[in-house]
Amino acid sequence: MASEHKNLSTFEGTEIPDASKMKFGIVWAEWNHTITHGLMKGAYDTLIKHGVKEKNIITKTVPGAFELTLGAQYMAELSHVDAVICIGCVIQGDTKHFDFICDAVAKGITNLNLKFNMPFIFGVLTVNTQEQAEDRTGGKHGNKGDEAAVTAIKMLGLKNSFESNKGKIGF
Ligand code: DLZ
């Protein structure tokens, strides 16, 4: 993809909506814990930096990336958050497991967006090596957890702007 050698976590030139009234869930996978903890912390700190109140963030772990979909669904149904950030790290191994997990979680999260009509963000690293994961967890490619948090705020901002201008065009 075109992100090679780029740190995409700077958000230069983009407008980030006011997030002070938004409520977020973060579901993160325990597999590859050092990486996923770094991504989760990046997401959490970014939400706070953009005005989200601590009391409006709930974080929960699930065993692996495969379980992110159901964990996120529990959060949406039972915690009444406005958006859920799903965080995981799947590292390529010798078998086809990688492909099945990545495919399942990508499709699962896509379906949740449409089922609940709210943002579920794909903050899942799908990498070949541990080094590639580290590069995206506060390394040379930034922190993908930060990016997931900004994406969640932007998508909720988009939803809110449609809702508050319902029936209008040109807003
Ligand atoms: C089993 C497995 C493997 C081999 N690799 C990863 C991985 O790199 N990242 C991850 O998040 N989870 C992995 N898992 C665990 C699966 O996501 C899942 O938890 C199990 O298959 C049980 O459903």
Side-chain angles (χ1 to χ4, degrees), residues 103-160:
D103 193 46
V105 70
K107 285 190 180 132
I109 292 174
T110 303
N111 289 339
L112 287 178
N113 277 274
L114 304 179
K115 177 177 171 186
F116 287 88
N117 196 30
M118 63 183 257
F120 289 77
I121 307 304
F122 187 78
V124 181
L125 298 183
T126 55
V127 290
N128 293 321
T129 64
Q130 175 79 19
E131 188 188 356
Q132 287 178 342
E134 287 164 7
D135 287 346
R136 290 157 179 79
T137 315
K140 68 181 176 195
H141 291 303
N143 186 320
K144 298 293 165 190
D146 299 15
E147 289 176 37
V150 168
T151 302
I153 294 171
K154 284 184 172 179
M155 286 307 293
L156 255 190
L158 179 67
K159 184 181 186 192
N160 292 343

Side-chain angles (χ1 to χ4, degrees), residues 27-28 60-79 84 86 104-105 107-109 111-112 115-116 120:
V27 191
W28 58 291
K60 290 283 174 197
T61 56
V62 291
F66 185 79
E67 285 74 36
L68 284 171
T69 308
L70 186 57
Q73 173 156 300
Y74 290 153
M75 207 167 251
E77 275 182 348
L78 305 171
S79 296
V84 181
C86 305
V105 70
K107 285 190 180 132
I109 292 174
N111 289 339
L112 287 178
K115 177 177 171 186
F116 287 88
F120 289 77

Side-chain angles (χ1 to χ4, degrees), residues 46-118:
T46 300
L47 292 178
I48 297 289
K49 186 173 142 198
H50 290 286
V52 182
K53 299 188 175 62
E54 260 181 58
K55 66 172 178 137
N56 287 335
I57 305 174
I58 173 171
T59 61
K60 290 283 174 197
T61 56
V62 291
F66 185 79
E67 285 74 36
L68 284 171
T69 308
L70 186 57
Q73 173 156 300
Y74 290 153
M75 207 167 251
E77 275 182 348
L78 305 171
S79 296
H80 304 294
V81 290
D82 302 315
V84 181
I85 299 165
C86 305
I87 286 183
C89 172
V90 195
I91 303 181
Q92 178 73 280
D94 294 334
T95 68
K96 288 190 171 173
H97 206 89
F98 177 88
D99 302 304
F100 285 111
I101 300 281
C102 294
D103 193 46
V105 70
K107 285 190 180 132
I109 292 174
T110 303
N111 289 339
L112 287 178
N113 277 274
L114 304 179
K115 177 177 171 186
F116 287 88
N117 196 30
M118 63 183 257

Side-chain angles (χ1 to χ4, degrees), residues 16-29:
I16 300 174
D18 172 35
S20 56
K21 293 199 177 89
M22 296 176 179
K23 289 188 261 171
F24 293 92
I26 303 177
V27 191
W28 58 291

